Structures are given as structure tokens and as C-alpha cells.
Amino acid sequence: DLPIPGKVLDACESLDGWASGGFTLSLDSDCKEGNYSLKATGSGVVILQKVFTPFDTEVTKDNGYLAFNLYVENTEVFGSGDSQFEITSSGGPDVNEVHWSVSEMNLFNGWNKVELSLEKAGTNVDLTAINFLRFYHTGLKGSINLKIDNIRFYKK
């Protein structure tokens, strides 16, 4: 796999700034770029989130994509339930955001190259000042191992 180009929001080489509700976070040498990926292990409601200094994505909603590598040990654990991968320019969840559900990602077991179009981003999301990212899923059926790596924005 060739790496997806783009402006890196987080290379996932450090745990600095990452928080999780109830999941154990660690760095894992099984990664797609650099030396590490961010690994989350647990059960219940998975929440991974990070607040950033305002970040200029250098893309627009018409030409931009959010991309990352996501490892899922077992996709069947997702089951049903609410899920969102969201970015905002409000510094927190649910305000000035654009989001995607897990079902939109067509995930399989193992490493996934996820590319999410920003075309549905509302005008309230300032793509020159993205400062919050959150991934959550309710209703997991058991425990899960997730890894995320190389979170970036690019133009297609």
C-alpha cells in the first residue's frame, strides 16, 4: 500500500493529548506510518478523543478528505449502536462538526485505509481551524482492539 498523501493532523506517535472513556490506550509498533499506532483496548462504549491547537486542513468541503488507517481486530464486535467519527472547529463534540458513522466506513478485520469525504461538512465547520477529533461507538458486543494511525487531510 502506498501511503495516502496529505497534511498530517496526528501521526499517532505519542499518547500526548489523547483521552479515552474506559479504554486502555497504548502505543503499538504494528503501524502503517512512522514507528507507532495508537491502540485502544476495552469493552463497553469506546471513546477516543483529542483536542488540538487549531489546525488548517488546507482543503475545502468540495475537494477535501479526512483519511486515516484503522485496525479493527473483529468488526462483528461493533454490532449495532451509535457510532461516529467526528471532527470539529469548536474545541469539543457536537458543535461545528462533521461526522461519519462506522457503517459508512465499510470496515473489515485488520488494517483499513479509511477515506472520508468532507462534502457533507456544514458551513459551520471551519476547516482552517479543526481542533477536536472524537471516535465513539456504543453497544459493543464484547471487548475490542482498535488501532489508529496517520490521521490526515488531503485533496482528491
Side-chain angles (χ1 to χ4, degrees), residues 22-148:
F23 271 55
T24 302
L25 299 182
S26 60
L27 293 177
D28 194 302
S29 59
D30 175 25
C31 60
K32 286 301 193 180
E33 295 284 326
N35 298 309
Y36 300 104
S37 61
L38 177 73
K39 182 178 180 181
T41 304
S43 60
V45 176
V46 60
I47 298 175
L48 289 175
Q49 65 184 33
K50 185 171 183 176
V51 176
F52 298 88
T53 351
F55 179 86
D56 185 352
T57 65
E58 297 178 4
V59 300
T60 67
K61 70 182 224 165
D62 297 326
N63 70 12
Y65 287 79
L66 169 64
F68 51 91
N69 298 97
L70 183 67
Y71 175 88
V72 182
E73 184 180 53
N74 180 359
T75 58
E76 290 180 18
V77 173
F78 281 129
S80 60
D82 282 342
S83 67
Q84 274 189 184
F85 194 95
E86 61 194 43
I87 56 169
T88 77
S89 56
S90 66
D94 304 327
V95 178
N96 301 342
E97 85 169 17
V98 58
H99 64 267
W100 303 264
S101 70
V102 166
S103 60
E104 292 176 74
M105 296 182 197
N106 301 313
L107 299 173
F108 53 85
N109 293 344
W111 279 105
N112 295 265
K113 190 187 291 186
V114 179
E115 299 174 271
L116 303 170
S117 171
L118 293 170
E119 67 187 352
K120 71 178 190 176
T123 54
N124 58 343
V125 177
D126 183 352
L127 293 173
T128 68
I130 294 301
N131 58 7
F132 182 78
L133 175 151
R134 178 172 74 163
F135 174 67
Y136 73 85
H137 194 297
T138 65
L140 290 178
K141 300 186 302 186
S143 63
I144 195 167
N145 285 313
L146 298 171
K147 298 174 196 171
I148 192 165

Side-chain angles (χ1 to χ4, degrees), residues 2-18:
L2 289 174
I4 300 171
K7 187 172 180 192
V8 176
L9 174 66
D10 196 304
C12 301
E13 294 293 305
S14 163
L15 296 176
D16 290 351
W18 284 97

